[in-house]
Amino acid sequence: MESRRLTMSNPSAVFSIIAHEALDHITTESEHDDGIGHEIGRQHSRRRVKREFNALPEKVLLAIFSYLPHIELLRCARVCRLWRSLSQNSKLWKTVFLRPEYHGLHVRHLDQFLNLIDHRFSTSLKYIELPMELITADVLHELANKCANLKYLTLDFSTAMQLHDFNDLNAFPCNLKMLCICLSEVIFLEGFMRRIYAFLSSLEILQIIGTIEKSNEAEEEVYETINISKIKAQTPNLRVINLYGIFFVDDNHIEIIASGCIHLECLALNYCTRVKGSSFKTLLQRCKKLQCLLLQNTGIEDNAMLTAEWEASVINELDISSTELTERCLLNLFTRMPKLNYLAVPNCDGFTDQVLDLLIDQGKLSNLRAIDISNTVNLNYEALFGLLKLHGRQLRGLSYAGNSKITEQFWINAIKHLKNIRILVIGTSHGWFKKINTRIHIDQILEACAQECQKLERLEIQWDEETLRWNENSSKFIDHIRIRCTKLLSLVLADGEYYELVRSNFERADRQRVVRTTTSDQTSIVSLLNYYNDLRFN
């Protein structure tokens, strides 16, 4: 049997692939037999394949089963006693997702779930996500008493209209490394939090996910549905704090965090629109280990940012996407900052040629690993090309979309300098306010990627079908990028005829999930953050 690597894009097909290849190998020797004998031979061969598969060592079978999602494990449990025993092995249930809206399992009966915690999860469980209906005193008691190795816990209150009764809650997992709390729009969590404060001293990662999409900035009174200051007082060992889309968070909360979290290394405040930056002076003075600061869609202002002592910080990852900082502020800011490994400034009008030239001239980007400068309307592509010539070989991620003046010739010349690129986002999305008058020869861009970027993992091309130009020979260039870029996991294109052409090419080569559309998928360089795995939620 020809050896091959089984990809898990369709996990339930693994057993079918193994069985069919073995069966084909066995039955080819008897292909000259008569029809009846051949059919009998096939029946015997099927039984023998099943016996041979089940005869594999348990360690090997568990390794195969470990690639399957839990919904597939439940189906496998119906095949035979052996598979039922294997699918219930606690080693396969170290990470459990129970939120159906995020592709998790749906638990219908609470009593059965309590039994699962005891008999199936036990001490092997390390990560679990609980929806609102499963966040009860009984469930938390069982997790605390039976799952001693539980390190990562998500409590999703986002759909809650009323909390369960936690008056009897006297136990909670006490060895947690990460706690993620998804807030409700209307539920105050202080009563629940008072019961668990004493168990949070081991936390290193705290994520509180807000309801920014439901908020109304015109509201006169802001309600704090969770008391961040009290959480801070009980969690002295925090390294990573992610406050995402919490409408009531402002600079006073950041001051409180800075006063106690001296070990803080990463602070993410994306979509906390009330944060202006006046607290950053205190933050940088007290949190000497802070390396990553994410401020996407915050309300940071020039004067507040200028007062902070950036020259004394060790920040090397910065995201100021969609903020209103001016060119004057950025020139001052970047002059005083240390070298940057990661920089994201999309939709930032203050990021101009002068700002980029300053970063290059002062060597602030000599260690740059990833940069996102999409939709920077005051930045010319000539300045970017100078950066790519100097530091392109060290880049792992580049996002530069939204410039209507960019043609394929720019990218053919630029891609030559991106030998080690892994994530690349290019083009101009449909509906951008500047109409593109030229046509883009996509074949030449794909050929350049195939020749120069063989470490490429994710590629997004945003030009729509009306802008792209291709011909009957395009399949040859699609073949080249598919064959040479063997690590390519995602190729995102605008929906249309060209997308269908590329998708069919990859699907014929049994690479089913590589080609995707911009209507459902979006590529970002955020996975190149050092703290990306700590910041993930949902």
Side-chain angles (χ1 to χ4, degrees), residues 99 101-102 130-133 135 155-163 182-187 211 214:
R99 296 187 291 168
E101 63 272 25
Y102 297 106
L130 296 178
M132 176 58 212
E133 56 270 20
I135 307 175
L155 302 176
D156 189 351
F157 294 98
S158 60
T159 59
M161 299 301 292
Q162 182 177 349
L163 286 180
C182 301
L183 301 181
S184 167
E185 185 183 16
V186 295
I187 297 296
T211 56
K214 301 177 183 179

Side-chain angles (χ1 to χ4, degrees), residues 251 273-278 280 295 298-308 310 323-326 328-329 333:
D251 285 281
T273 56
R274 291 179 178 269
V275 174
K276 305 300 182 182
S278 60
F280 291 171
L295 305 172
T298 53
I300 51 177
E301 300 173 346
D302 284 6
N303 292 335
M305 295 291 285
L306 292 174
T307 59
W310 299 99
T323 57
E324 297 183 0
L325 298 181
T326 64
R328 177 185 66 85
C329 176
L333 187 70

Side-chain angles (χ1 to χ4, degrees), residues 183 188 190 197 206 208 221-233 235 238 241-261 264 267-269 272-283 286-287:
L183 301 181
F188 290 84
E190 184 54 31
Y197 282 139
L206 174 64
I208 304 178
E221 190 170 2
V222 178
Y223 298 100
E224 298 190 15
T225 54
I226 193 168
N227 194 321
I228 293 176
S229 61
K230 288 187 178 179
I231 297 177
K232 182 273 306 180
T235 52
L238 286 178
I241 297 178
N242 182 16
L243 307 179
Y244 183 91
I246 306 179
F247 184 62
F248 60 80
V249 166
D250 57 23
D251 285 281
N252 291 327
H253 295 93
I254 309 306
E255 291 266 5
I256 293 170
I257 289 173
S259 66
C261 302
L264 191 63
L267 178 61
L269 302 171
C272 294
T273 56
R274 291 179 178 269
V275 174
K276 305 300 182 182
S278 60
S279 59
F280 291 171
K281 181 176 182 179
T282 303
L283 179 70
R286 297 179 178 176
C287 301

Side-chain angles (χ1 to χ4, degrees), residues 115-394:
N115 186 58
L116 286 177
I117 294 177
D118 187 13
H119 294 91
R120 187 172 301 183
F121 302 162
S122 188
T123 57
S124 295
L125 185 65
K126 293 185 177 180
Y127 182 106
I128 191 169
E129 294 182 352
L130 296 178
M132 176 58 212
E133 56 270 20
L134 295 181
I135 307 175
T136 68
D138 290 339
V139 169
L140 296 176
H141 284 162
E142 285 295 298
L143 290 174
N145 296 327
K146 304 294 174 57
C147 304
N149 293 314
L150 181 61
K151 300 295 183 183
Y152 302 88
L153 175 62
T154 294
L155 302 176
D156 189 351
F157 294 98
S158 60
T159 59
M161 299 301 292
Q162 182 177 349
L163 286 180
H164 293 283
D165 184 6
F166 293 104
N167 289 328
D168 297 332
L169 181 63
N170 52 34
F172 190 82
C174 59
N175 295 318
L176 291 177
K177 179 180 178 181
M178 184 277 284
L179 176 63
C180 177
I181 301 176
C182 301
L183 301 181
S184 167
E185 185 183 16
V186 295
I187 297 296
F188 290 84
L189 295 179
E190 184 54 31
F192 168 74
M193 295 301 299
R194 277 199 302 265
R195 311 296 298 185
I196 70 171
Y197 282 139
F199 303 95
L200 302 182
S201 60
S202 62
L203 278 187
E204 296 181 15
I205 304 167
L206 174 64
Q207 304 203 51
I208 304 178
I209 311 305
T211 56
I212 185 66
E213 71 282 357
K214 301 177 183 179
S215 64
N216 181 7
E217 293 192 19
E219 294 178 358
E220 294 183 1
E221 190 170 2
V222 178
Y223 298 100
E224 298 190 15
T225 54
I226 193 168
N227 194 321
I228 293 176
S229 61
K230 288 187 178 179
I231 297 177
K232 182 273 306 180
Q234 304 295 331
T235 52
N237 299 312
L238 286 178
R239 294 186 303 105
V240 178
I241 297 178
N242 182 16
L243 307 179
Y244 183 91
I246 306 179
F247 184 62
F248 60 80
V249 166
D250 57 23
D251 285 281
N252 291 327
H253 295 93
I254 309 306
E255 291 266 5
I256 293 170
I257 289 173
S259 66
C261 302
I262 60 174
H263 300 294
L264 191 63
E265 299 174 12
C266 173
L267 178 61
L269 302 171
N270 295 337
Y271 294 93
C272 294
T273 56
R274 291 179 178 269
V275 174
K276 305 300 182 182
S278 60
S279 59
F280 291 171
K281 181 176 182 179
T282 303
L283 179 70
L284 297 181
Q285 288 175 345
R286 297 179 178 176
C287 301
K288 298 295 186 181
K289 299 179 181 180
L290 187 64
Q291 301 178 40
C292 179
L293 186 59
L294 307 182
L295 305 172
Q296 180 181 0
N297 280 97
T298 53
I300 51 177
E301 300 173 346
D302 284 6
N303 292 335
M305 295 291 285
L306 292 174
T307 59
E309 298 177 358
W310 299 99
E311 61 274 12
S313 73
V314 293
I315 291 175
N316 53 57
E317 295 184 337
L318 180 66
D319 186 344
I320 52 173
S321 308
S322 302
T323 57
E324 297 183 0
L325 298 181
T326 64
E327 178 188 56
R328 177 185 66 85
C329 176
L330 292 180
L331 287 171
N332 183 294
L333 187 70
F334 288 132
T335 300
R336 296 186 290 133
M337 288 194 74
K339 293 183 178 180
L340 294 170
N341 298 330
Y342 178 102
L343 177 62
V345 290
N347 301 295
C348 189
D349 294 349
F351 196 85
T352 63
D353 294 351
Q354 289 74 21
V355 176
L356 183 57
D357 289 341
L358 179 141
L359 287 167
I360 296 173
D361 293 342
Q362 296 193 3
K364 303 291 185 177
L365 302 180
S366 59
N367 297 330
L368 190 66
R369 182 178 64 253
I371 186 169
D372 185 349
I373 48 176
S374 295
N375 303 325
T376 47
V377 295
N378 294 319
L379 178 68
N380 292 316
Y381 61 86
E382 293 91 348
L384 173 64
F385 191 76
L387 170 67
L388 298 183
K389 287 204 302 184
L390 283 175
H391 303 301
R393 285 184 174 270
Q394 69 199 43

Side-chain angles (χ1 to χ4, degrees), residues 91-106:
K91 294 180 180 178
L92 301 179
W93 296 84
K94 294 181 179 180
T95 301
V96 180
F97 305 96
L98 296 173
R99 296 187 291 168
E101 63 272 25
Y102 297 106
H103 310 290
L105 297 176
H106 178 58

